[in-house]
């Protein structure tokens, strides 16, 4: 998986869920062009402005995703959405300390 250095991102399933889809904070890697994101076992291609409520799609299934940098205030979901956000084990400390600027809470695997 050649490409740019990995970074922590917010990734949410949009297809079939709208603003309430399963969501994660985890480490992802971009392709050299920035048009493809590799996250978990997914290969997500940019919608290049053509998506409705999504900015990437899974090349294997066509499912749509929203991807963005995680926000310092933790308000990553659309304001009409809801649900917990799972934080991957390998980024928990970095997320809470460097992005949120605080000590990890007791239930540190959800935001």
């Amino acid at each position: 998986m050649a490409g740019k250095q990995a970074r922590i991102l917010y990734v949410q399933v949009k297809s079939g869920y709208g603003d309430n889809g399963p969501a994660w904070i985890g480490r992802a890697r971009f392709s050299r062009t920035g048009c493809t994101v590799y996250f978990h076992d997914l290969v997500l291609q940019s919608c290049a402005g053509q998506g409705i409520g999504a900015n990437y799609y899974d090349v294997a299934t066509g499912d749509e995703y929203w991807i963005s940098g995680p926000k310092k205030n933790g308000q990553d979901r659309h304001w009409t959405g809801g649900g917990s956000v799972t934080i991957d084990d390998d980024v928990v400390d970095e997320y809470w300390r460097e992005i949120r600027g605080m000590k990890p809470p007791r239930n540190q695997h959800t935001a």
Side-chain angles (χ1 to χ4, degrees):
M1 175 175 13
K4 297 181 181 179
Q5 187 168 345
R7 58 185 268 217
I8 296 176
L9 294 175
Y10 170 80
V11 178
Q12 178 185 333
V13 179
K14 297 292 283 185
S15 292
Y17 297 96
D19 295 323
N20 297 310
W24 302 267
I25 303 247
R27 199 169 311 281
R29 193 173 289 278
F30 284 87
S31 66
R32 279 188 293 274
T33 63
C35 294
T36 305
V37 173
Y38 304 94
F39 179 74
H40 293 171
D41 293 330
L42 302 171
V43 178
L44 304 169
Q45 185 75 42
S46 172
C47 291
Q50 303 302 309
I52 298 176
N55 56 0
Y56 284 83
Y57 68 92
D58 182 342
V59 298
T61 66
D63 288 343
E64 293 186 336
Y65 287 77
W66 179 259
I67 299 176
S68 67
K71 296 183 176 115
K72 180 176 177 62
N73 66 8
Q75 300 297 313
D76 296 296
R77 285 193 182 272
H78 188 275
W79 65 271
T80 63
S84 64
V85 177
T86 301
I87 305 170
D88 290 349
D89 288 339
D90 64 328
V91 302
V92 168
D93 286 335
E94 185 178 353
Y95 169 74
W96 285 106
R97 293 182 195 285
E98 295 182 23
I99 293 170
R100 297 291 299 274
M102 60 179 58
K103 181 179 176 183
R106 184 169 286 160
N107 184 11
Q108 63 185 11
H109 286 87
T110 56

